[in-house]
Amino acid sequence: MNHHSGFHTHRTVRSRARRLLSSVLATSAMVLGIAGAGSAAAEADTVIDTIPVGDGPAGVAITPNGTRAYVVNDFDDTVSVIDTATNAEITTVPVGDRPFWVAITPNGAGAYVTNATDGTVSVIDTATNTEVDTITVGNGPREVAITPNGTTAYVPNILDDTVSVIDIGTNNVVDTITVGDEPTGVAITPFGTRAYVTNAGDDTVSVINTATNMVVDTITVGNRPFGVAITPFGTRAYVANGFDNSVSVIDTLTNMVVDSITVGNIPFGVAVTPNGRRAYVTTRSDNSVSVIDTGTNTVIDTIGVGAAPTGVAVTPNGKRAYVTNREDDTVSVIAIDKCLGSLCLDFGSLTGSGSGAASTFS
């Protein structure tokens, strides 16, 4: 046997490494117990939790720090506030009549909720979770999107073919833009220069110059476009076409459709991960989410969720997707990475699911 001191040092280092790994795994078990996950290893793109919410959940948005999810309950005129650490509803906020969608300001201070029946937008103070303002917009407001600088909100009004432009500083409508037939979805480019609005009634997307609030282009897409999302670099827009079970891919430099992807039945909501590699599309009639690889524009996975999935939002760290299930009053939580319950480990780096040494826990 080799008794050289170098061998003992090497063995000691390896022993310490094993103890460190054991400590991490023990901590993992402890965290799983504390978080109440209690689940075995979950493969990537797996539902790891189901959260009861209000009646008819539709839109969902997540705060910039990732700690809260706001879920709009269409049929009981409330917004459920979910703690993403525990995946529990911590409060509900009364809003207007038939609320449908929600967007949160980049600083996380306000949540803007469209109320379809009374033609208003409710403003929620996220610090107190109370409604602090109500803004009158057009007829039948649907979705809402806020510019990256937090100054302006764009609201498509499905019943009068317009988009209301809200100044967030004053909570006043400062402009009204005429677009296509039955505008529904809206997304804004990362630099805030363009807004893309889906027009479900005429199968087009209106492109708005946000500096002038003028429509500068109209793009023909699939049948009954609903949701739209734009990649983090702003080069592509993904449009869910509800009545032909496809997603149109728009090149935002040319405003031309460059691809069409077959997905599940009645696609509605779309969200793209922060790294831009995947798009998650809710498909309402088959109770699933189609996962698109944006590099190849192919469906690489299909995830079963609750009944009539509608809205979808991805956490800022890209580790979770929250999906509203309109017909069973729940939210499905999808682990985008492979996880052990609430703990996600990157075994390639042993630093966790993020990129830094402090990101062991997701």
Side-chain angles (χ1 to χ4, degrees):
M1 182 179 293
N2 189 338
H3 295 285
H4 292 305
S5 60
F7 176 81
H8 286 291
T9 301
H10 181 62
R11 185 171 59 183
T12 300
V13 170
R14 286 190 301 173
S15 177
R16 288 173 179 170
R18 284 195 297 268
R19 289 198 301 270
L20 176 61
L21 180 58
S22 298
S23 176
V24 168
L25 294 176
T27 303
S28 302
M30 179 182 68
V31 170
L32 291 175
I34 292 173
S39 61
E43 295 300 322
D45 291 331
T46 301
V47 174
I48 59 170
D49 213 341
T50 302
I51 309 166
V53 289
D55 192 4
V60 54
I62 297 168
T63 54
N65 64 8
T67 61
R68 297 288 185 269
Y70 284 72
V71 176
V72 177
N73 303 308
D74 188 2
F75 300 140
D76 65 13
D77 301 341
T78 66
V79 173
S80 294
V81 184
I82 294 169
D83 182 333
T84 58
T86 61
N87 283 332
E89 181 186 78
I90 56 175
T91 192
T92 58
V93 185
V95 288
D97 192 10
R98 296 296 302 272
F100 188 71
W101 219 251
V102 57
I104 296 173
T105 55
N107 65 4
Y112 284 66
V113 179
T114 58
N115 303 305
T117 299
D118 60 14
T120 65
V121 171
S122 294
V123 182
I124 296 172
D125 181 336
T126 58
T128 61
N129 284 322
T130 57
E131 184 185 58
V132 293
D133 210 344
T134 303
I135 308 162
T136 299
V137 290
N139 194 1
R142 294 288 281 178
E143 296 192 10
V144 53
I146 296 173
T147 54
N149 64 6
T151 62
T152 312
Y154 286 77
V155 178
N157 304 300
I158 193 170
L159 298 180
D160 63 16
D161 302 340
T162 66
V163 172
S164 297
V165 183
I166 297 170
D167 180 328
I168 287 179
T170 62
N171 282 336
N172 290 321
V173 173
V174 293
D175 212 341
T176 302
I177 308 165
T178 300
V179 289
D181 189 20
E182 297 183 21
T184 301
V186 57
I188 298 170
T189 55
F191 293 107
T193 58
R194 297 286 188 273
Y196 284 70
V197 178
T198 59
N199 304 304
D202 62 17
D203 304 338
T204 65
V205 172
S206 296
V207 184
I208 296 170
N209 181 330
T210 58
T212 62
N213 285 332
M214 300 285 292
V215 174
V216 294
D217 213 340
T218 302
I219 309 163
T220 299
V221 289
N223 191 358
R224 297 289 292 183
F226 294 131
V228 54
I230 297 172
T231 55
F233 294 109
T235 58
R236 295 287 187 270
Y238 285 75
V239 178
N241 303 306
F243 284 9
D244 64 14
N245 303 336
S246 72
V247 171
S248 295
V249 184
I250 298 170
D251 182 332
T252 59
L253 298 178
T254 62
N255 283 332
M256 296 182 64
V257 174
V258 294
D259 213 340
S260 181
I261 308 163
T262 300
V263 292
N265 196 17
I266 309 188
F268 194 91
V270 189
V272 177
T273 55
N275 62 14
R277 294 176 182 173
R278 292 183 182 181
Y280 287 74
V281 181
T282 59
T283 53
R284 293 188 60 178
S285 283
D286 56 12
N287 302 335
S288 70
V289 174
S290 296
V291 183
I292 296 171
D293 181 329
T294 59
T296 61
N297 283 333
T298 57
V299 174
I300 58 172
D301 209 346
T302 301
I303 309 165
V305 289
T310 300
V312 55
V314 176
T315 54
N317 65 6
K319 306 307 176 187
R320 300 284 187 273
Y322 285 71
V323 177
T324 59
N325 303 305
R326 191 168 172 81
E327 291 183 3
D328 65 14
D329 304 337
T330 64
V331 172
S332 297
V333 183
I334 296 170
I336 293 175
D337 288 339
K338 184 173 181 177
C339 296
L340 297 171
S342 63
L343 175 71
C344 295
L345 291 176
D346 177 357
F347 289 100
S349 64
L350 286 179
T351 59
S353 58
S355 59
S359 57
T360 299
F361 302 105
S362 173

